[in-house]
Amino acid sequence: RLQGDWSSDVCSSDLIGLDGKEIHGTGLCLVAAFAHVAKTVLFEEGTDSKGKELVVGPNVLRHITITNRVITGDALFTQRSLCKQITFEHGGYVFRVKGNQPTLEQDIRLFFSDPPFKASIQRHTTIDRWKGVKEIREVRVSSDITEYLAWPGLTHIWYMKKTVKKDGEKKITESVGIVRLPKDILGERDVAEAVSEYVRGHWGIETRLHKQRDVVFNEDKSMIRAGHAPQTMAILRNIVTSLFHRGTVRNFKSAMRK
């Protein structure tokens, strides 16, 4: 609770990524609400089984402010009850849709693969280059079939095609998802650009939190595994990671040595 209160004080408004991480050797899975921009864990709760993330997720959201914030997450959290909870609290969401919602996934993929005549589709493309790699992300967003899908709070659906070119080879991945971005949250922003940013930004929790806890703090190699100790240590690691991010520390390992 202390961590949640402190984090809420330093982060008043942000995109929030909902994600789980299992601590190796403990059977404990921690579900965190992570602020994209502030790079801070707002609240985190543990469960003794990775499959119980769906039970813990709604409770994590009850401990933070959802109103006028956008919650992002992977396909595991694409559940009617969770989307209904976010909508009731006047928040937004951007979730992926995969096999756990087969009918929803099929309907979205069919719409974008063979759009109806005069379908309204917004597009946004980004191109990034680094170390010989070229990555192209094309995002398409539409609100045409939201009433048909009848999903809680739904305002848009999205499709993303990611093309990665390296050493003469090309790899293409496609993904789809659902969106709730009402006007009071979206403002004057282009919806396709916003969705592109939110989808990409969600995976920052992997590099800005999970990777730091594993690589810098060696969390998965820790021998502290009894009782509540693993979760307590995770809270301390979260606080230190948040302080480093707020202090614009670039090299966490070097900062730890100091």
Side-chain angles (χ1 to χ4, degrees):
R1 179 74 190 208
L2 174 63
Q3 179 195 357
D5 293 342
W6 174 81
S7 299
S8 295
D9 288 340
V10 301
C11 176
S12 59
S13 180
D14 204 354
L15 302 169
I16 301 171
L18 194 62
D19 199 27
K21 179 184 184 298
E22 187 173 1
I23 299 181
H24 180 72
T26 65
L28 180 68
C29 182
L30 301 177
V31 179
F34 182 78
H36 287 213
V37 179
K39 304 172 186 176
T40 297
V41 174
L42 301 178
F43 192 83
E44 187 172 69
E45 184 171 328
T47 175
D48 59 3
S49 173
K50 189 174 178 60
K52 293 184 180 178
E53 287 174 285
L54 292 178
V55 178
V56 174
N59 194 48
V60 170
L61 293 184
R62 291 188 190 99
H63 286 82
I64 63 175
T65 301
I66 297 177
T67 303
N68 294 328
R69 288 178 166 181
V70 178
I71 310 300
T72 64
D74 60 24
L76 178 66
F77 295 106
T78 304
Q79 304 291 331
R80 286 183 176 273
S81 58
L82 191 66
C83 291
K84 190 174 183 179
Q85 176 184 350
I86 294 170
T87 302
F88 181 79
E89 294 292 337
H90 304 289
Y93 59 74
V94 178
F95 292 139
R96 289 179 181 258
V97 176
K98 290 185 179 179
N100 60 325
Q101 297 289 348
T103 302
L104 181 62
E105 180 186 20
Q106 182 180 3
D107 287 342
I108 297 174
R109 288 188 180 276
L110 179 60
F111 174 84
F112 285 111
S113 64
D114 187 18
F117 181 62
K118 292 187 177 181
S120 176
I121 299 176
Q122 291 78 46
R123 292 173 169 82
H124 181 73
T125 301
T126 58
I127 302 176
D128 294 294
R129 295 179 174 86
W130 73 95
K131 297 181 179 179
V133 178
K134 181 179 180 181
E135 181 181 278
I136 305 171
R137 290 174 180 253
E138 178 194 356
V139 173
R140 305 174 195 172
V141 178
S142 179
S143 60
D144 282 9
I145 62 170
T146 53
E147 290 188 9
Y148 166 77
L149 295 175
W151 192 270
L154 185 67
T155 62
H156 303 82
I157 56 175
W158 59 266
Y159 161 90
M160 175 181 284
K161 178 181 179 181
K162 183 173 73 172
T163 304
V164 178
K165 299 179 180 179
K166 181 180 180 181
D167 299 330
E169 296 184 357
K170 182 168 66 175
K171 180 180 180 182
I172 297 176
T173 56
E174 298 174 303
S175 54
V176 297
I178 55 175
V179 179
R180 170 178 162 79
L181 285 178
K183 192 66 176 179
D184 55 347
I185 293 179
L186 182 63
E188 299 302 318
R189 294 194 62 189
D190 176 79
V191 64
E193 181 181 0
V195 170
S196 177
E197 176 187 321
Y198 298 161
V199 172
R200 187 169 190 175
H202 175 72
W203 302 111
I205 194 170
E206 293 292 337
T207 58
R208 297 168 184 168
L209 179 65
H210 296 340
K211 182 179 178 180
Q212 302 301 340
R213 282 177 20 186
D214 285 340
V215 175
V216 178
F217 300 106
N218 293 316
E219 183 172 78
D220 281 348
K221 296 180 181 178
S222 174
M223 299 306 293
I224 302 175
R225 299 178 179 178
H228 296 290
Q231 188 166 359
T232 301
M233 292 302 299
I235 291 173
L236 294 175
R237 294 179 188 114
N238 288 340
I239 293 175
V240 173
T241 299
S242 298
L243 288 172
F244 280 178
H245 280 308
R246 288 185 62 79
T248 64
V249 175
R250 293 188 176 183
N251 190 318
F252 279 28
K253 286 189 175 182
S254 176
M256 288 292 291
R257 288 194 293 270
K258 294 179 181 180

